Amino acid sequence: MQDKLNELKKRLGEISDIQNAVSLLGWDQQTYMPPGGAGARAQQIATLSHLAHEKFIDDAMGRLLEELRVYASKLSYDSDDASLVRVAKRDYDKARRIPATLVFEIAHAGAQAFDAWRQARAASEFPQFAPFLQRNLDLKIQYAGCLGYTDRIYDPLLDEFEPDMKTAQIEAIFAEVKKEIVPLVHAIASRQDTVDNSFLCRPFDEQKQWDIGMEVAKHLGYDFNRGRQDRSPHPFTSSFSINDVRITTRFMADYFPAGFFATIHETGHALYDQGVSQSLERTLLAGGASLGIHESQSRMWENLVGRGLPFWKFFIPRARTLFPEQLKNVDAVKMYRAVNRVQPSLIRVEADEITYNLHIILRFELENMLLERRLDVKDLPEAWNAKMREYLGITPPDDAEGVLQDVHWSHGAFGYFPTYSLGNLFASQLFEQCKKEVPGLEASIEKGEFYPLLDWLRIRLHVHGRKFTLNELSNKITGKPLQTQPFITYLKNKYSEIYRL
Ligand code: ZN
């Protein structure tokens, strides 16, 4: 059986090499590639992706996995080998259920819809995009049918991004979040003057913004011997190995938090990928377990650490050295309050940590209505605006700032959005657990010592890579499945104090 396991590892290793090469081509595309390279690059990526897919869905791979399944079931569930066979089998079964023609049609329709979306957004005309969205939706309904489901059509689509998570579980979680958060947002909206962040909205030298970002990433524990930072229009993290995990960032010349927190956010993603056990290198277990768990790491460092008072007690003297003019008379408390200003806004990516979740809930609800054909595509803008009014108290002036703002649906990525909020929830649950197990956690952050938190995350979470699902990890680490209470308590305590509610 050892021979078969070695054969599996050899095959998966080669596929991982190809996929990592694809990621590297993608990283270059978004950082250094001259515009003229776009055509050739798209072809290279398509060829290599196709090659990796063909190798993965090979009949021989299916036979190997079937033969190893019984053997793996006798090993400890947590072991590297049992996990490798289990997760590879899960990925393989899914990949085999989708006909190649449908994969091609989805990619093709997505490319056309992306173009249509860009033009429709520029013109702020949803009807231009509607037929393309309808096509994406029809294809995804077909896709969900191929994967199969017993309860909700949303389940198999969600599963692509958050394995084993169910729509019903998210609905229950979101209902609780909504019940608590909507009144909180409305209460804060009536006290907008309580928090002043005007000193953050003035010119900040870009080189110094870069320097302070690099400095903070190092402080948090990002290993630059196994990583690097570059610039790109949209910040992202990309891994080609556990030992080569890169981040990108961007700056706004006259709004300090944009670049600073983008760097911390991506550093959080990178710390996770760098922390996966070396024994999982070059297997499909290297990397984060799901989008939601990945987002829990970026948001923990960005919000629970970087937007926390202990962090600013440590960091404000250094920030003031770099920006003496802008931060004159700004102490830790003033900075803490300013970086936590809440402002119900039209645009999801600009939202603060409270209202962000309402943007997600809105999208999740609309996606379900569309997929279950309870809502017609033509009526989508109206439904969008009605929910914006209900949850955030604001109405988009046009489609560009409303229903057309996100790229996801143009690619046919339905089921993706909830993972952002799952990340917020899980981050709070983990942080609460860490505080119980690591005494003096916040006192150490105040001293600029981040390793107690990082070490805890490494041992409890990062090291496992893709072995476990969100609910498995949650039970393993905190003794409970995903909870809403830690997140709601955190928000209520923090913002009642900041806004003196
Ligand atoms: Zn992220």
Side-chain angles (χ1 to χ4, degrees), residues 219 309-315 439-452:
H219 265 303
L309 186 55
F311 174 85
W312 285 104
K313 284 186 178 162
F314 156 65
F315 208 63
L441 182 73
E442 291 186 310
S444 61
I445 292 175
E446 207 174 307
K447 282 187 280 177
E449 291 167 2
F450 300 99
Y451 61 85

Side-chain angles (χ1 to χ4, degrees), residues 265-266 269 294-295 298-299 420:
H265 182 99
E266 299 309 325
H269 281 303
H294 235 300
E295 207 58 15
S298 54
R299 280 160 198 263
Y420 293 117

Side-chain angles (χ1 to χ4, degrees), residues 376-393:
D376 278 343
V377 165
K378 69 170 170 28
D379 300 326
L380 182 59
E382 205 179 307
W384 178 287
N385 293 349
K387 283 191 188 286
M388 281 298 287
R389 270 192 297 276
E390 186 189 342
Y391 301 161
L392 289 157

Side-chain angles (χ1 to χ4, degrees), residues 392-459:
L392 289 157
I394 45 181
T395 308
D398 55 32
D399 293 342
E401 292 200 274
V403 68
L404 287 174
Q405 66 182 267
D406 297 308
V407 68
H408 304 58
W409 292 342
S410 80
H411 291 147
F414 300 98
Y416 187 115
F417 282 119
T419 64
Y420 293 117
S421 281
L422 296 180
N424 281 329
L425 295 167
F426 195 42
S428 284
Q429 191 173 341
L430 285 172
F431 201 68
E432 194 172 83
Q433 186 67 26
C434 183
K435 280 200 281 191
K436 278 186 212 156
E437 294 180 21
V438 181
L441 182 73
E442 291 186 310
S444 61
I445 292 175
E446 207 174 307
K447 282 187 280 177
E449 291 167 2
F450 300 99
Y451 61 85
L453 174 59
L454 182 57
D455 286 353
W456 185 87
L457 289 169
R458 285 265 144 97
I459 295 164

